[in-house]
Amino acid sequence: MKYFKIQDSPELKYAPQIKNWYGSFDVRDIRIDRFYKLPKMQLFPIEPSENLIFTDIILFPFLLVSPMVYDVIQMYRERCFFRKVILADQAKRESRLYYLPVLDETSQIRLESGRGKEGLCVDRNLFWVRDTKKRHSIISMDMAESLIRREVTGLGLCEVTLWDKEGKEKES
């Protein structure tokens, strides 16, 4: 199975920029074991922009997905919890619904960019890998193809090989 790290795409420079998000809720609670502390619905104002595009995927300050991406995730029956987030452009009196996914996360996997030997196979289509610096959103090729066929905006992909922490191959 091939996997990809979700990363910036050219459209994301026009994606909504959330204002005053810091302190609204604790981003450390965006975890399976603590998501219940997050509000079920959150409203965030966004920076006004002439070139604003409500992309289907937003990466900063945390992963947000549009209802279309949410539907694809549900179609794959991933172990995932969601909170609703409404982004509001007060100047244009416009708003959009997004979902904040809370995914399975592991720090037992090491990522290697690009193609390599066959690495680890995981029984998930969407999950997080944490390294010492940040959390990476990983998506299977099957789910990536489903999103690309739907022409989602804001989806940048970089192929990665997954290895266990010792760098050894594992059987699926």
Side-chain angles (χ1 to χ4, degrees), residues 14-27:
Y14 302 113
Q17 302 296 311
I18 299 172
K19 296 191 316 188
N20 306 324
W21 64 270
Y22 190 78
S24 298
F25 65 82
D26 193 342
V27 294

Side-chain angles (χ1 to χ4, degrees), residues 127-145:
F127 56 97
W128 284 323
V129 171
R130 176 164 300 279
D131 64 20
T132 56
K133 296 179 184 173
K134 68 180 277 190
R135 175 189 280 169
H136 304 277
S137 299
I138 307 299
I139 187 171
S140 71
M141 184 167 71
D142 292 344
M143 186 177 278
E145 287 175 345

Side-chain angles (χ1 to χ4, degrees), residues 55-69:
T55 56
D56 293 302
I57 295 175
I58 297 173
L59 295 178
F60 183 81
F62 32 78
L63 180 63
L64 293 173
V65 298
S66 70
M68 179 175 35
V69 176

Side-chain angles (χ1 to χ4, degrees), residues 48 60 76 84 93 99 116 137:
F60 183 81
Y76 279 84
K84 292 180 179 178
R93 296 177 182 244
Y99 292 89
S137 299

Side-chain angles (χ1 to χ4, degrees), residues 27 36 39 43 49 53 59 62 86 95 105 117 119 123 162 172:
V27 294
Y36 65 89
L43 172 69
S49 171
I53 299 173
L59 295 178
F62 32 78
I86 297 174
S95 64
E105 181 174 356
K117 280 178 44 181
D123 65 346
L162 308 179
S172 54

